[in-house]
Amino acid sequence: MNKYISTEELLRENERLKAIIALLEENAPQKKYGLVWEKEADKEHFLTEALFLKEVLNKRIFTAEQAPVNWLIEGDNYQSLSILLRTHRQKVDVIYIDPPYNTGNRDFKFTDTFSDNDSTYRHSRWIAFIEKRLRLAKQLLSPAGVIFISIDDTELAQTKLLCDEIFGEKNFVANFIRKCKTGSGHDSGKIAIEFDYMLCYAKDSTKQKFNKQTLNVEKDDKYRHTDQFVAHRGKYYLRDLDYKGTYSPSLDYPIQAPDGSELWPGGAYGRPNTWRWSREKVEWGIKNDFIVFKPTARQWKVYIKQYQYVDNQDKKRVRQLPHRAMIEFINSKGSNELKDILHEDIFTHPKPVDLIKFIIDLVPGNNLTILDFFAGSGTTGHAVLSVNQEKGTNHQFILCTNNENNICEKVCYERLKKVITGYETRSGRYIKGTNGNLTYWKVVEV
């Protein structure tokens, strides 16, 4: 057996090692942890100064004099974002994007080449593509702005690391887990995949607040008891006053039962139990009928009345909780919505309108500027128009999409036009228009 390596093989191995060292040296000074990709996969170049927006006047729609003017921009979204920096830097309140998931099924084209599962630069191309767009998007966000990014398992990990780098890990808000399919969901030969994700980042988490979910206390079965205060306080349920949590000596004191006996949290003084309320608050609760004593086999139990319409100070309140990150908005509904408007099945997996309404409802304000630079079939615009109609808000949308396969002109624009002016569904039901104003722009080079 030949134990020697030829000179040619040594030279080839030397060149290979030199290339690896060069790559390591290039990235080592820049970061110690995070996402690293082949930057040479990025081939997009253009002169920002030479790009402008030109309005297509015959596509203008104006049906509501006092409503904001919405924008639909036809063109490469990287170019569109670069132009928007001149007019909307730090002025966008909400960004939602649904970028290509890079599944390898010809859903992502980079510099006119589809990315497939066997591509050497498959993930690098996608990261290079999305990274530049997210950096521009960050500059468009207002100080209290927030971005939502739909994604699936293919690029979730990479997108999370990339967003941590661009927006800052401290500005991560949530990873919404969305049930997007019903039934079997057998896309995989191993596990049924019925979920995708929506990453949420704030421009500055210290400035961004979110609306809470209003609880429907009328339909909450746990409120089932009534008393003489029902007209003002509503129904109530009983909460145990005895609490096993963070111990505080000031909340560990005796309460006198109706028979004169002393009751202690947990049955005796000392850790771990306390009362939920202070001594003064309990006295107030007994006097105002917020406290209930119930006999047991051994002693008494003490309860708080938790009412539907008032807080624990007898003041009117709307009961709210933070929204949950586990959500359900089914893709098939989005497909049916689009088919009802255009009467054609011409777009793959459009997001349902309710998903974007959910996002809008999360963010405080009645005059939000909402950007979607992967507008596709126009779901975001549809949602904004619907929310404005239903709630009397004055949100404005800016949609950016290319016109590959006439998606901007024949799908996105036609959908928005029909939503604004009214349309007939496939079953013949007429849907009244939302009214609104729309301008159509093209990215041009001069």
Side-chain angles (χ1 to χ4, degrees):
M1 185 172 72
N2 185 7
K3 297 181 181 180
Y4 300 99
I5 300 175
S6 69
T7 303
E8 290 78 8
E9 289 176 310
L10 284 172
L11 289 172
R12 284 198 299 270
E13 180 65 11
N14 184 54
E15 290 302 315
R16 188 182 73 85
L17 291 173
K18 283 168 64 177
I20 293 173
I21 292 169
L23 180 62
L24 291 172
E25 288 177 344
E26 177 187 352
N27 289 284
Q30 299 169 3
K31 61 173 67 176
K32 301 300 181 185
Y33 165 80
L35 198 59
V36 177
W37 68 95
E38 295 90 340
K39 298 293 180 72
E40 59 266 29
D42 182 1
K43 305 287 186 185
E44 292 182 292
H45 299 288
F46 61 89
L47 292 174
T48 306
E49 298 78 10
L51 299 176
F52 294 89
L53 294 180
K54 181 178 180 180
E55 186 180 358
V56 181
L57 294 173
N58 64 358
K59 292 186 181 296
R60 181 183 286 192
I61 303 171
F62 274 72
T63 69
E65 188 174 325
Q66 302 301 319
V69 177
N70 302 294
W71 294 18
L72 172 58
I73 302 174
E74 175 194 317
D76 176 87
N77 59 7
Y78 186 34
Q79 297 177 351
S80 300
L81 290 171
S82 299
I83 298 170
L84 286 172
L85 282 176
R86 304 174 198 163
T87 58
H88 287 77
R89 188 184 294 269
Q90 296 194 46
K91 293 182 180 179
V92 175
D93 302 294
V94 179
I95 297 176
Y96 169 76
I97 58 170
D98 182 21
Y101 285 1
N102 198 21
T103 60
N105 297 320
R106 298 177 70 83
D107 66 320
F108 169 52
K109 182 186 285 189
F110 186 76
T111 59
D112 296 325
T113 303
F114 281 106
S115 178
D116 56 47
N117 287 326
D118 299 323
S119 172
T120 304
Y121 291 105
R122 177 188 175 191
H123 295 291
S124 289
R125 285 172 173 170
W126 192 90
I127 296 164
F129 168 81
I130 200 71
E131 183 250 358
K132 294 192 304 181
R133 287 157 175 80
L134 290 179
R135 290 196 184 279
L136 294 180
K138 181 183 178 182
Q139 296 178 65
L140 290 168
L141 279 176
S142 67
V146 63
I147 184 170
F148 298 84
I149 305 168
S150 284
I151 204 68
D152 78 351
D153 292 303
T154 309
E155 299 291 354
L156 173 63
Q158 292 87 316
T159 306
K160 176 67 169 64
L161 283 172
L162 184 63
C163 287
D164 282 347
E165 178 180 316
I166 294 173
F167 297 99
E169 189 174 352
K170 67 180 184 300
N171 293 316
F172 171 70
V173 176
N175 181 17
F176 291 90
I177 302 171
R178 179 179 73 110
K179 183 174 175 62
C180 56
K181 299 177 183 177
T182 56
S184 59
H186 290 157
D187 285 337
S188 168
K190 300 179 178 66
I191 302 294
I193 307 298
E194 298 179 320
F195 295 84
D196 63 10
Y197 311 93
M198 187 169 68
L199 289 168
C200 176
Y201 282 78
K203 177 73 169 289
D204 183 343
S205 61
T206 65
K207 296 178 180 177
Q208 176 58 54
K209 295 182 180 179
F210 290 89
N211 291 324
K212 293 184 177 181
Q213 180 179 14
T214 299
L215 303 182
N216 189 345
V217 293
E218 297 291 347
K219 294 185 178 180
D220 193 333
D221 293 337
K222 70 174 176 283
Y223 295 98
R224 59 180 181 272
H225 303 296
T226 60
D227 58 20
Q228 68 270 34
F229 306 105
V230 66
H232 170 66
R233 299 178 183 175
K235 297 179 181 180
Y236 68 90
Y237 70 93
L238 296 176
R239 295 179 65 199
D240 200 332
L241 185 66
D242 199 327
Y243 172 67
K244 187 177 181 180
T246 303
Y247 182 78
S248 172
S250 64
L251 295 176
D252 193 354
Y253 57 86
I255 294 176
Q256 187 175 17
D259 64 0
S261 61
E262 282 191 344
L263 305 177
W264 290 86
Y269 178 78
R271 297 175 186 272
N273 289 47
T274 65
W275 301 120
R276 293 182 186 272
W277 288 4
S278 68
R279 188 189 300 265
E280 294 74 17
K281 184 67 180 290
V282 167
E283 291 174 358
W284 176 90
I286 294 171
K287 181 179 179 181
N288 290 278
D289 205 6
F290 271 76
I291 295 293
V292 173
F293 293 89
K294 286 185 174 290
T296 67
R298 297 178 57 189
Q299 54 174 5
W300 296 80
K301 288 282 290 181
V302 191
Y303 297 93
I304 303 167
K305 289 183 178 180
Q306 190 72 63
Y307 289 97
Q308 287 175 311
Y309 307 140
V310 298
D311 61 17
N312 290 327
Q313 295 179 336
D314 203 18
K315 295 179 180 178
K316 285 286 186 179
R317 66 167 291 181
V318 176
R319 297 203 173 275
Q320 295 180 317
L321 286 175
H323 285 270
R324 297 181 182 276
M326 186 74 75
I327 57 179
E328 180 174 332
F329 296 99
I330 306 301
N331 281 342
S332 60
K333 184 179 181 183
S335 298
N336 288 327
E337 288 167 345
L338 186 60
K339 285 187 280 189
D340 267 343
I341 297 170
L342 300 181
H343 298 190
E344 293 181 78
D345 189 6
I346 55 177
F347 193 85
T348 305
H349 306 308
K351 294 296 186 287
V353 170
D354 284 346
L355 172 64
I356 313 303
K357 285 184 174 181
F358 168 75
I359 291 170
I360 296 170
D361 287 342
L362 282 175
V363 182
N366 295 321
N367 301 278
L368 302 174
T369 297
I370 300 162
L371 169 65
D372 182 346
F373 54 91
F374 286 94
S377 68
T379 301
T380 297
H382 186 167
V384 172
L385 291 165
S386 296
V387 170
N388 284 344
Q389 179 191 41
E390 295 163 8
K391 299 188 176 182
T393 50
N394 283 291
H395 303 316
Q396 177 199 34
F397 66 76
I398 302 172
L399 306 185
C400 308
T401 183
N402 61 34
N403 200 33
E404 188 173 321
N405 298 321
N406 291 319
I407 187 173
C408 190
E409 286 187 284
K410 301 301 182 183
V411 180
C412 191
Y413 175 76
E414 288 299 322
R415 177 186 194 168
L416 297 174
K417 179 180 178 180
K418 290 189 175 186
V419 169
I420 291 171
T421 60
Y423 61 94
E424 191 175 275
T425 68
R426 291 169 295 169
S427 64
R429 184 166 65 99
Y430 180 74
I431 304 298
K432 184 180 178 181
T434 61
N435 287 323
N437 304 318
L438 179 66
T439 53
Y440 190 109
W441 303 84
K442 284 189 177 184
V443 176
V444 295
E445 186 174 354
V446 294

